[in-house]
Each structure stands twice: as structure tokens, then as C-alpha cells.
Amino acid sequence: MTYPNLNVGAQVHRDIVIDPTRTIDFLGEQLRIYATPELVRDIELTCLDFLLPSLAAGENSVGTALDIRHTGATLMGMSVRISATISHIDRRSITFDVSASDGVEEVCTGTHSRFIVDVDKLRGKVEQKAQLVARGSAAAA
């Protein structure tokens, strides 16, 4: 299947305010900064939301690879801009160059890949795996 609305060079930007749920808490209140797992989640959601309008009914996308460097501390309350640019398309595999900036500095660079899936087909595979796991658990008991 081809996706005529998805082209190398297509870009998306998302601005996010860093609220307490997006920050680390293990260094105390004075160091509530953007947590890397939340940055990863925000990158994934930015790319997912960008792809969804171009997909056919019954399709969605899942993340398959992420390689980032989180190089700067974004303080709670600051705004961060996540940018993603399609750098490669191979049928159902879409790769993005990603970055994030907090207005003071670039805080992240990297790549993120997603794969376009048929939701019903994926559901079938997951159900088969769940049955195998259940059989294995029953055999072990």
C-alpha cells in the first residue's frame, strides 16, 4: 500500500509545556526537569498523531525503534518544541529525524521509526501469542 500524503521531508511540530507529570522527582523539587521517558513518549505521540490522518481505516502505527540523545535539562514550566521530519519511507516503515528545543537550547536529537499495521491482523497475532502463553502457564502449573 502507498501513502500519497506521506513524503520524505514532511514535518510536524508540537509544543508541550513541561508539567509535573513530565518531570523526574528523584532529585527533589528543585530539580524537577523533563524526564527522558516522558520525552520518548512525547516523541512517539507526536509522530503517531502526524501519521494517523494519512492511514486507511483499520490501520494504525507502532513504534519500532528510537535512538535519541537527551542532552539538556528542560525545567518544569518551560515549553519544549518537538520537531519530527520524515527522513525515510520503506513501504509501511516510516523513519523520522527528531529533535526537541526548549527555547534556550536544543535538548534532544535522534531518530524514531514507526511501522504501519493492520489493527485486526495485529490483534490476531497478539491473541495467538496470549494463547501460547496461557498454555505454557497451564503446563507449568
Short mmCIF file of all heavy atoms in Angstrom, two decimals, residues 1-72:
data_model
loop_
_atom_site.label_atom_id
_atom_site.label_comp_id
_atom_site.label_asym_id
_atom_site.label_seq_id
_atom_site.Cartn_x
_atom_site.Cartn_y
_atom_site.Cartn_z
N MET A 1 0.84 -1.18 0.00
CA MET A 1 0.00 0.00 0.00
C MET A 1 0.89 1.24 0.00
O MET A 1 1.93 1.26 0.65
CB MET A 1 -0.91 -0.03 1.23
CG MET A 1 -1.74 1.20 1.39
SD MET A 1 -3.03 1.01 2.62
CE MET A 1 -4.42 0.92 1.54
N THR A 2 0.47 2.26 -0.71
CA THR A 2 1.21 3.52 -0.73
C THR A 2 0.44 4.56 0.07
O THR A 2 -0.78 4.47 0.24
CB THR A 2 1.41 4.02 -2.17
OG1 THR A 2 0.14 4.22 -2.77
CG2 THR A 2 2.22 3.04 -2.98
N TYR A 3 1.15 5.53 0.53
CA TYR A 3 0.58 6.60 1.35
C TYR A 3 0.95 7.93 0.70
O TYR A 3 1.97 8.53 1.03
CB TYR A 3 1.12 6.49 2.79
CG TYR A 3 0.74 5.16 3.40
CD1 TYR A 3 1.58 4.06 3.31
CD2 TYR A 3 -0.48 5.01 4.03
CE1 TYR A 3 1.21 2.84 3.84
CE2 TYR A 3 -0.87 3.79 4.56
CZ TYR A 3 -0.02 2.71 4.46
OH TYR A 3 -0.39 1.50 4.99
N PRO A 4 0.11 8.39 -0.23
CA PRO A 4 0.46 9.58 -1.02
C PRO A 4 0.64 10.86 -0.20
O PRO A 4 1.33 11.77 -0.63
CB PRO A 4 -0.69 9.72 -2.01
CG PRO A 4 -1.81 8.92 -1.44
CD PRO A 4 -1.19 7.85 -0.60
N ASN A 5 0.06 10.92 0.99
CA ASN A 5 0.19 12.13 1.81
C ASN A 5 1.44 12.12 2.67
O ASN A 5 1.72 13.09 3.37
CB ASN A 5 -1.04 12.32 2.70
CG ASN A 5 -2.28 12.58 1.88
OD1 ASN A 5 -2.21 13.15 0.79
ND2 ASN A 5 -3.42 12.16 2.38
N LEU A 6 2.18 11.00 2.66
CA LEU A 6 3.41 10.90 3.45
C LEU A 6 4.60 10.96 2.52
O LEU A 6 4.76 10.11 1.65
CB LEU A 6 3.42 9.60 4.25
CG LEU A 6 2.29 9.44 5.27
CD1 LEU A 6 2.36 8.07 5.93
CD2 LEU A 6 2.32 10.55 6.30
N ASN A 7 5.44 11.95 2.69
CA ASN A 7 6.59 12.15 1.83
C ASN A 7 7.82 12.48 2.65
O ASN A 7 7.72 13.13 3.71
CB ASN A 7 6.34 13.32 0.86
CG ASN A 7 5.16 13.06 -0.03
OD1 ASN A 7 5.17 12.13 -0.82
ND2 ASN A 7 4.11 13.87 0.10
N VAL A 8 8.99 12.05 2.16
CA VAL A 8 10.24 12.44 2.79
C VAL A 8 10.29 13.96 2.82
O VAL A 8 9.96 14.62 1.84
CB VAL A 8 11.44 11.85 2.03
CG1 VAL A 8 12.75 12.44 2.52
CG2 VAL A 8 11.46 10.33 2.15
N GLY A 9 10.63 14.49 3.96
CA GLY A 9 10.70 15.95 4.14
C GLY A 9 9.48 16.52 4.85
O GLY A 9 9.54 17.66 5.33
N ALA A 10 8.39 15.77 4.92
CA ALA A 10 7.20 16.27 5.62
C ALA A 10 7.54 16.44 7.10
O ALA A 10 8.22 15.61 7.70
CB ALA A 10 6.04 15.30 5.45
N GLN A 11 7.06 17.54 7.68
CA GLN A 11 7.42 17.88 9.05
C GLN A 11 6.20 18.07 9.93
O GLN A 11 5.13 18.43 9.47
CB GLN A 11 8.20 19.20 9.09
CG GLN A 11 9.52 19.17 8.40
CD GLN A 11 10.23 20.50 8.55
OE1 GLN A 11 9.62 21.54 8.76
NE2 GLN A 11 11.55 20.46 8.43
N VAL A 12 6.44 17.87 11.23
CA VAL A 12 5.44 18.17 12.24
C VAL A 12 6.16 18.77 13.45
O VAL A 12 7.31 18.43 13.72
CB VAL A 12 4.62 16.91 12.65
CG1 VAL A 12 5.50 15.84 13.24
CG2 VAL A 12 3.47 17.27 13.57
N HIS A 13 5.47 19.68 14.12
CA HIS A 13 5.99 20.29 15.34
C HIS A 13 4.90 20.23 16.39
O HIS A 13 3.71 20.37 16.07
CB HIS A 13 6.39 21.75 15.12
CG HIS A 13 7.34 21.96 14.01
ND1 HIS A 13 8.68 21.69 14.12
CD2 HIS A 13 7.15 22.39 12.73
CE1 HIS A 13 9.29 21.96 12.98
NE2 HIS A 13 8.37 22.37 12.11
N ARG A 14 5.30 20.01 17.63
CA ARG A 14 4.35 20.02 18.74
C ARG A 14 4.99 20.76 19.90
O ARG A 14 6.12 20.45 20.28
CB ARG A 14 3.98 18.61 19.15
CG ARG A 14 3.08 18.59 20.39
CD ARG A 14 2.63 17.20 20.74
NE ARG A 14 1.51 16.88 19.86
CZ ARG A 14 0.99 15.67 19.76
NH1 ARG A 14 1.47 14.66 20.44
NH2 ARG A 14 -0.03 15.45 18.96
N ASP A 15 4.26 21.71 20.45
CA ASP A 15 4.71 22.44 21.63
C ASP A 15 4.05 21.86 22.86
O ASP A 15 2.83 21.65 22.88
CB ASP A 15 4.38 23.93 21.50
CG ASP A 15 5.15 24.58 20.36
OD1 ASP A 15 6.34 24.26 20.18
OD2 ASP A 15 4.55 25.42 19.64
N ILE A 16 4.86 21.60 23.88
CA ILE A 16 4.39 20.97 25.11
C ILE A 16 4.94 21.76 26.29
O ILE A 16 6.14 22.06 26.33
CB ILE A 16 4.87 19.51 25.19
CG1 ILE A 16 4.29 18.70 24.03
CG2 ILE A 16 4.53 18.89 26.53
CD1 ILE A 16 4.91 17.34 23.85
N VAL A 17 4.07 22.06 27.25
CA VAL A 17 4.53 22.68 28.49
C VAL A 17 4.89 21.56 29.46
O VAL A 17 4.14 20.60 29.64
CB VAL A 17 3.43 23.59 29.09
CG1 VAL A 17 3.86 24.11 30.46
CG2 VAL A 17 3.12 24.74 28.14
N ILE A 18 6.05 21.68 30.07
CA ILE A 18 6.54 20.63 30.96
C ILE A 18 5.87 20.80 32.33
O ILE A 18 6.22 21.67 33.11
CB ILE A 18 8.08 20.68 31.08
CG1 ILE A 18 8.73 20.60 29.69
CG2 ILE A 18 8.58 19.55 31.97
CD1 ILE A 18 8.25 19.44 28.82
N ASP A 19 4.89 19.95 32.55
CA ASP A 19 4.14 19.95 33.80
C ASP A 19 4.75 18.91 34.75
O ASP A 19 5.64 18.16 34.36
CB ASP A 19 2.65 19.69 33.55
CG ASP A 19 2.37 18.35 32.90
OD1 ASP A 19 3.23 17.44 32.95
OD2 ASP A 19 1.28 18.19 32.34
N PRO A 20 4.29 18.86 35.99
CA PRO A 20 4.90 17.94 36.97
C PRO A 20 4.88 16.47 36.53
O PRO A 20 5.80 15.73 36.86
CB PRO A 20 4.06 18.15 38.23
CG PRO A 20 3.54 19.54 38.11
CD PRO A 20 3.31 19.75 36.63
N THR A 21 3.86 16.06 35.78
CA THR A 21 3.78 14.65 35.37
C THR A 21 4.87 14.28 34.38
O THR A 21 5.14 13.10 34.18
CB THR A 21 2.41 14.30 34.77
OG1 THR A 21 2.22 15.04 33.56
CG2 THR A 21 1.28 14.60 35.75
N ARG A 22 5.49 15.26 33.74
CA ARG A 22 6.54 15.01 32.76
C ARG A 22 7.95 15.14 33.36
O ARG A 22 8.93 15.10 32.62
CB ARG A 22 6.40 15.97 31.59
CG ARG A 22 5.26 15.66 30.66
CD ARG A 22 5.30 16.57 29.43
NE ARG A 22 4.53 16.03 28.35
CZ ARG A 22 3.24 16.22 28.17
NH1 ARG A 22 2.56 16.96 29.01
NH2 ARG A 22 2.61 15.68 27.14
N THR A 23 8.04 15.33 34.66
CA THR A 23 9.36 15.58 35.25
C THR A 23 9.82 14.43 36.14
O THR A 23 9.01 13.63 36.61
CB THR A 23 9.34 16.87 36.10
OG1 THR A 23 8.45 16.70 37.21
CG2 THR A 23 8.95 18.08 35.27
N ILE A 24 11.12 14.42 36.38
CA ILE A 24 11.68 13.48 37.35
C ILE A 24 11.38 14.01 38.75
O ILE A 24 11.22 15.21 38.95
CB ILE A 24 13.20 13.27 37.16
CG1 ILE A 24 13.97 14.58 37.37
CG2 ILE A 24 13.49 12.69 35.79
CD1 ILE A 24 15.48 14.43 37.38
N ASP A 25 11.30 13.10 39.72
CA ASP A 25 11.07 13.52 41.10
C ASP A 25 12.15 13.03 42.06
O ASP A 25 12.18 13.42 43.21
CB ASP A 25 9.70 13.06 41.58
CG ASP A 25 9.55 11.55 41.57
OD1 ASP A 25 10.51 10.83 41.23
OD2 ASP A 25 8.45 11.07 41.89
N PHE A 26 13.06 12.21 41.58
CA PHE A 26 14.02 11.57 42.46
C PHE A 26 15.20 12.45 42.87
O PHE A 26 16.01 12.06 43.70
CB PHE A 26 14.53 10.25 41.86
CG PHE A 26 15.13 10.39 40.48
CD1 PHE A 26 16.46 10.74 40.31
CD2 PHE A 26 14.34 10.14 39.37
CE1 PHE A 26 17.00 10.86 39.04
CE2 PHE A 26 14.88 10.26 38.10
CZ PHE A 26 16.21 10.62 37.93
N LEU A 27 15.29 13.66 42.31
CA LEU A 27 16.36 14.58 42.70
C LEU A 27 15.84 15.74 43.54
O LEU A 27 16.56 16.69 43.80
CB LEU A 27 17.08 15.12 41.46
CG LEU A 27 17.88 14.10 40.66
CD1 LEU A 27 18.46 14.73 39.40
CD2 LEU A 27 18.99 13.49 41.50
N GLY A 28 14.57 15.66 43.95
CA GLY A 28 13.99 16.71 44.77
C GLY A 28 13.27 17.76 43.95
O GLY A 28 13.38 17.82 42.72
N GLU A 29 12.53 18.60 44.65
CA GLU A 29 11.67 19.60 44.00
C GLU A 29 12.47 20.65 43.22
O GLU A 29 11.96 21.18 42.23
CB GLU A 29 10.77 20.28 45.03
CG GLU A 29 9.67 19.37 45.57
CD GLU A 29 8.77 18.81 44.46
OE1 GLU A 29 8.28 19.59 43.63
OE2 GLU A 29 8.59 17.57 44.44
N GLN A 30 13.68 20.95 43.64
CA GLN A 30 14.48 21.97 42.94
C GLN A 30 14.96 21.50 41.57
O GLN A 30 15.34 22.31 40.74
CB GLN A 30 15.69 22.38 43.80
CG GLN A 30 15.31 23.02 45.11
CD GLN A 30 14.64 24.38 44.94
OE1 GLN A 30 14.38 24.83 43.83
NE2 GLN A 30 14.38 25.05 46.04
N LEU A 31 14.96 20.19 41.35
CA LEU A 31 15.44 19.63 40.08
C LEU A 31 14.34 18.87 39.36
O LEU A 31 14.58 17.79 38.80
CB LEU A 31 16.66 18.74 40.32
CG LEU A 31 17.92 19.48 40.72
CD1 LEU A 31 19.02 18.50 41.08
CD2 LEU A 31 18.37 20.43 39.62
N ARG A 32 13.14 19.43 39.32
CA ARG A 32 12.04 18.84 38.56
C ARG A 32 12.25 19.21 37.09
O ARG A 32 11.85 20.27 36.64
CB ARG A 32 10.68 19.35 39.06
CG ARG A 32 10.33 18.98 40.49
CD ARG A 32 10.02 17.53 40.68
NE ARG A 32 8.87 17.07 39.95
CZ ARG A 32 7.86 16.41 40.48
NH1 ARG A 32 7.83 16.15 41.78
NH2 ARG A 32 6.86 16.00 39.74
N ILE A 33 12.91 18.32 36.35
CA ILE A 33 13.23 18.55 34.94
C ILE A 33 12.59 17.46 34.08
O ILE A 33 12.23 16.39 34.59
CB ILE A 33 14.76 18.62 34.71
CG1 ILE A 33 15.45 17.37 35.22
CG2 ILE A 33 15.33 19.88 35.36
CD1 ILE A 33 16.95 17.32 34.98
N TYR A 34 12.46 17.74 32.80
CA TYR A 34 11.84 16.85 31.82
C TYR A 34 12.49 15.47 31.89
O TYR A 34 13.70 15.32 31.71
CB TYR A 34 12.03 17.46 30.45
CG TYR A 34 11.13 17.03 29.33
CD1 TYR A 34 9.99 16.26 29.52
CD2 TYR A 34 11.42 17.45 28.03
CE1 TYR A 34 9.17 15.90 28.46
CE2 TYR A 34 10.61 17.11 26.97
CZ TYR A 34 9.49 16.33 27.18
OH TYR A 34 8.69 15.99 26.11
N ALA A 35 11.68 14.47 32.14
CA ALA A 35 12.16 13.09 32.25
C ALA A 35 12.32 12.48 30.87
O ALA A 35 11.46 12.64 30.00
CB ALA A 35 11.18 12.27 33.08
N THR A 36 13.41 11.76 30.67
CA THR A 36 13.66 11.13 29.38
C THR A 36 12.52 10.20 28.95
O THR A 36 12.11 10.25 27.78
CB THR A 36 15.01 10.39 29.39
OG1 THR A 36 16.04 11.34 29.71
CG2 THR A 36 15.30 9.74 28.05
N PRO A 37 11.96 9.35 29.83
CA PRO A 37 10.85 8.50 29.39
C PRO A 37 9.64 9.32 28.89
O PRO A 37 8.95 8.90 27.96
CB PRO A 37 10.48 7.69 30.63
CG PRO A 37 11.71 7.69 31.47
CD PRO A 37 12.37 9.02 31.21
N GLU A 38 9.42 10.48 29.48
CA GLU A 38 8.31 11.33 29.03
C GLU A 38 8.63 11.98 27.69
O GLU A 38 7.76 12.14 26.84
CB GLU A 38 7.98 12.38 30.08
CG GLU A 38 7.44 11.79 31.36
CD GLU A 38 6.15 11.00 31.16
OE1 GLU A 38 5.30 11.41 30.36
OE2 GLU A 38 6.01 9.95 31.82
N LEU A 39 9.89 12.35 27.49
CA LEU A 39 10.33 12.87 26.20
C LEU A 39 10.11 11.82 25.12
O LEU A 39 9.58 12.11 24.04
CB LEU A 39 11.80 13.30 26.26
CG LEU A 39 12.46 13.67 24.94
CD1 LEU A 39 11.77 14.85 24.27
CD2 LEU A 39 13.95 13.96 25.18
N VAL A 40 10.50 10.59 25.41
CA VAL A 40 10.30 9.49 24.46
C VAL A 40 8.82 9.35 24.13
O VAL A 40 8.44 9.24 22.96
CB VAL A 40 10.87 8.17 25.04
CG1 VAL A 40 10.38 6.96 24.27
CG2 VAL A 40 12.39 8.22 25.06
N ARG A 41 7.98 9.34 25.16
CA ARG A 41 6.53 9.22 24.94
C ARG A 41 6.02 10.38 24.09
O ARG A 41 5.22 10.19 23.17
CB ARG A 41 5.82 9.21 26.30
CG ARG A 41 4.32 9.03 26.20
CD ARG A 41 3.72 8.95 27.62
NE ARG A 41 2.32 8.67 27.59
CZ ARG A 41 1.38 9.57 27.40
NH1 ARG A 41 1.69 10.84 27.24
NH2 ARG A 41 0.11 9.22 27.36
N ASP A 42 6.47 11.60 24.36
CA ASP A 42 6.02 12.76 23.59
C ASP A 42 6.48 12.69 22.14
O ASP A 42 5.73 13.06 21.22
CB ASP A 42 6.49 14.05 24.25
CG ASP A 42 5.76 14.33 25.57
OD1 ASP A 42 4.63 13.83 25.76
OD2 ASP A 42 6.33 15.06 26.41
N ILE A 43 7.68 12.19 21.89
CA ILE A 43 8.15 11.99 20.52
C ILE A 43 7.27 10.96 19.81
O ILE A 43 6.82 11.18 18.69
CB ILE A 43 9.63 11.55 20.49
CG1 ILE A 43 10.54 12.71 20.90
CG2 ILE A 43 10.02 11.01 19.12
CD1 ILE A 43 11.98 12.32 21.17
N GLU A 44 7.02 9.83 20.46
CA GLU A 44 6.19 8.79 19.87
C GLU A 44 4.79 9.32 19.52
O GLU A 44 4.28 9.09 18.43
CB GLU A 44 6.07 7.59 20.79
CG GLU A 44 7.33 6.76 20.83
CD GLU A 44 7.06 5.28 20.79
OE1 GLU A 44 6.19 4.83 20.01
OE2 GLU A 44 7.74 4.57 21.54
N LEU A 45 4.18 10.03 20.46
CA LEU A 45 2.83 10.54 20.22
C LEU A 45 2.80 11.60 19.14
O LEU A 45 1.84 11.66 18.36
CB LEU A 45 2.22 11.07 21.52
CG LEU A 45 1.87 10.00 22.55
CD1 LEU A 45 1.39 10.65 23.85
CD2 LEU A 45 0.81 9.04 22.01
N THR A 46 3.84 12.43 19.07
CA THR A 46 3.91 13.44 18.01
C THR A 46 3.93 12.77 16.64
O THR A 46 3.18 13.15 15.73
CB THR A 46 5.16 14.32 18.20
OG1 THR A 46 5.04 15.02 19.45
CG2 THR A 46 5.31 15.33 17.07
N CYS A 47 4.75 11.75 16.49
CA CYS A 47 4.85 11.04 15.20
C CYS A 47 3.59 10.24 14.90
O CYS A 47 3.10 10.24 13.76
CB CYS A 47 6.10 10.15 15.19
SG CYS A 47 7.65 11.09 15.27
N LEU A 48 3.04 9.57 15.90
CA LEU A 48 1.80 8.81 15.72
C LEU A 48 0.68 9.74 15.26
O LEU A 48 0.00 9.46 14.26
CB LEU A 48 1.41 8.12 17.03
CG LEU A 48 0.00 7.51 17.07
CD1 LEU A 48 -0.14 6.37 16.09
CD2 LEU A 48 -0.33 7.07 18.48
N ASP A 49 0.46 10.82 15.98
CA ASP A 49 -0.62 11.75 15.63
C ASP A 49 -0.43 12.34 14.23
O ASP A 49 -1.41 12.63 13.53
CB ASP A 49 -0.73 12.87 16.66
CG ASP A 49 -1.24 12.37 18.01
OD1 ASP A 49 -1.78 11.24 18.09
OD2 ASP A 49 -1.09 13.12 19.00
N PHE A 50 0.82 12.51 13.81
CA PHE A 50 1.10 13.02 12.47
C PHE A 50 0.71 12.00 11.40
O PHE A 50 0.17 12.36 10.36
CB PHE A 50 2.59 13.36 12.36
CG PHE A 50 3.01 13.87 11.02
CD1 PHE A 50 2.57 15.09 10.55
CD2 PHE A 50 3.86 13.13 10.21
CE1 PHE A 50 2.96 15.57 9.30
CE2 PHE A 50 4.26 13.59 8.97
CZ PHE A 50 3.81 14.81 8.52
N LEU A 51 0.96 10.72 11.67
CA LEU A 51 0.68 9.68 10.68
C LEU A 51 -0.81 9.34 10.55
O LEU A 51 -1.29 9.04 9.46
CB LEU A 51 1.45 8.40 11.03
CG LEU A 51 2.97 8.45 10.89
CD1 LEU A 51 3.57 7.12 11.34
CD2 LEU A 51 3.38 8.76 9.46
N LEU A 52 -1.52 9.35 11.66
CA LEU A 52 -2.90 8.83 11.68
C LEU A 52 -3.81 9.37 10.57
O LEU A 52 -4.52 8.59 9.95
CB LEU A 52 -3.53 9.07 13.06
CG LEU A 52 -3.06 8.11 14.15
CD1 LEU A 52 -3.68 8.50 15.49
CD2 LEU A 52 -3.38 6.67 13.81
N PRO A 53 -3.82 10.66 10.29
CA PRO A 53 -4.74 11.15 9.25
C PRO A 53 -4.45 10.59 7.85
O PRO A 53 -5.32 10.61 6.98
CB PRO A 53 -4.55 12.67 9.26
CG PRO A 53 -3.98 12.98 10.60
CD PRO A 53 -3.16 11.77 10.97
N SER A 54 -3.25 10.09 7.63
CA SER A 54 -2.87 9.57 6.31
C SER A 54 -3.11 8.07 6.16
O SER A 54 -2.93 7.52 5.08
CB SER A 54 -1.39 9.85 6.04
OG SER A 54 -1.16 11.25 5.99
N LEU A 55 -3.51 7.41 7.24
CA LEU A 55 -3.67 5.96 7.21
C LEU A 55 -5.09 5.56 6.81
O LEU A 55 -6.04 6.32 7.01
CB LEU A 55 -3.32 5.36 8.57
CG LEU A 55 -1.92 5.70 9.09
CD1 LEU A 55 -1.66 4.96 10.40
CD2 LEU A 55 -0.85 5.39 8.06
N ALA A 56 -5.22 4.35 6.28
CA ALA A 56 -6.52 3.82 5.88
C ALA A 56 -7.29 3.36 7.11
O ALA A 56 -6.71 3.13 8.18
CB ALA A 56 -6.32 2.65 4.91
N ALA A 57 -8.58 3.20 6.96
CA ALA A 57 -9.41 2.66 8.03
C ALA A 57 -8.85 1.31 8.44
O ALA A 57 -8.47 0.49 7.60
CB ALA A 57 -10.85 2.53 7.57
N GLY A 58 -8.78 1.07 9.74
CA GLY A 58 -8.27 -0.19 10.24
C GLY A 58 -6.77 -0.25 10.39
O GLY A 58 -6.22 -1.27 10.81
N GLU A 59 -6.08 0.84 10.05
CA GLU A 59 -4.64 0.89 10.20
C GLU A 59 -4.26 1.80 11.37
O GLU A 59 -5.02 2.67 11.76
CB GLU A 59 -3.95 1.43 8.94
CG GLU A 59 -4.01 0.49 7.76
CD GLU A 59 -3.26 1.03 6.56
OE1 GLU A 59 -3.25 2.26 6.34
OE2 GLU A 59 -2.70 0.22 5.82
N ASN A 60 -3.08 1.57 11.89
CA ASN A 60 -2.50 2.41 12.92
C ASN A 60 -1.00 2.24 12.80
O ASN A 60 -0.53 1.57 11.88
CB ASN A 60 -3.01 2.02 14.31
CG ASN A 60 -3.01 3.20 15.27
OD1 ASN A 60 -2.06 3.95 15.36
ND2 ASN A 60 -4.12 3.34 16.01
N SER A 61 -0.23 2.83 13.70
CA SER A 61 1.21 2.61 13.63
C SER A 61 1.76 2.34 15.02
O SER A 61 1.22 2.81 16.02
CB SER A 61 1.93 3.81 12.99
OG SER A 61 2.07 4.88 13.89
N VAL A 62 2.82 1.56 15.04
CA VAL A 62 3.50 1.22 16.29
C VAL A 62 4.96 1.62 16.16
O VAL A 62 5.55 1.57 15.09
CB VAL A 62 3.39 -0.29 16.62
CG1 VAL A 62 1.94 -0.68 16.89
CG2 VAL A 62 3.96 -1.16 15.51
N GLY A 63 5.54 2.02 17.28
CA GLY A 63 6.95 2.36 17.30
C GLY A 63 7.79 1.11 17.20
O GLY A 63 7.47 0.09 17.82
N THR A 64 8.86 1.18 16.41
CA THR A 64 9.75 0.02 16.24
C THR A 64 11.19 0.32 16.62
O THR A 64 11.95 -0.61 16.88
CB THR A 64 9.71 -0.50 14.79
OG1 THR A 64 10.09 0.57 13.91
CG2 THR A 64 8.33 -1.01 14.43
N ALA A 65 11.56 1.58 16.65
CA ALA A 65 12.93 1.94 17.02
C ALA A 65 12.96 3.40 17.47
O ALA A 65 12.20 4.23 16.97
CB ALA A 65 13.88 1.74 15.85
N LEU A 66 13.85 3.64 18.40
CA LEU A 66 14.05 5.00 18.89
C LEU A 66 15.50 5.13 19.33
O LEU A 66 16.00 4.31 20.10
CB LEU A 66 13.12 5.28 20.08
CG LEU A 66 13.09 6.71 20.58
CD1 LEU A 66 12.44 7.64 19.56
CD2 LEU A 66 12.32 6.78 21.88
N ASP A 67 16.18 6.13 18.79
CA ASP A 67 17.58 6.38 19.14
C ASP A 67 17.71 7.87 19.37
O ASP A 67 17.73 8.65 18.41
CB ASP A 67 18.50 5.91 18.02
CG ASP A 67 19.97 6.18 18.32
OD1 ASP A 67 20.32 6.42 19.49
OD2 ASP A 67 20.77 6.17 17.36
N ILE A 68 17.72 8.27 20.65
CA ILE A 68 17.82 9.70 20.95
C ILE A 68 18.96 9.97 21.91
O ILE A 68 19.40 9.10 22.64
CB ILE A 68 16.51 10.28 21.53
CG1 ILE A 68 16.19 9.66 22.89
CG2 ILE A 68 15.37 10.16 20.55
CD1 ILE A 68 15.19 10.46 23.70
N ARG A 69 19.39 11.22 21.89
CA ARG A 69 20.32 11.74 22.88
C ARG A 69 19.60 12.89 23.57
O ARG A 69 19.24 13.88 22.94
CB ARG A 69 21.61 12.23 22.21
CG ARG A 69 22.50 11.06 21.82
CD ARG A 69 23.34 11.26 20.58
NE ARG A 69 22.68 11.65 19.34
CZ ARG A 69 21.92 10.83 18.58
NH1 ARG A 69 21.70 9.60 18.92
NH2 ARG A 69 21.38 11.25 17.45
N HIS A 70 19.34 12.73 24.86
CA HIS A 70 18.68 13.77 25.67
C HIS A 70 19.79 14.55 26.35
O HIS A 70 20.37 14.11 27.32
CB HIS A 70 17.76 13.10 26.69
CG HIS A 70 16.85 14.04 27.40
ND1 HIS A 70 15.94 13.60 28.32
CD2 HIS A 70 16.70 15.39 27.35
CE1 HIS A 70 15.26 14.64 28.79
NE2 HIS A 70 15.72 15.73 28.22
N THR A 71 20.10 15.74 25.80
CA THR A 71 21.34 16.43 26.15
C THR A 71 21.16 17.70 26.97
O THR A 71 22.15 18.36 27.29
CB THR A 71 22.11 16.79 24.87
OG1 THR A 71 21.25 17.57 24.02
CG2 THR A 71 22.56 15.55 24.13
N GLY A 72 19.93 18.06 27.27
CA GLY A 72 19.71 19.29 28.03
C GLY A 72 18.58 19.14 29.01
O GLY A 72 17.66 18.34 28.81
#
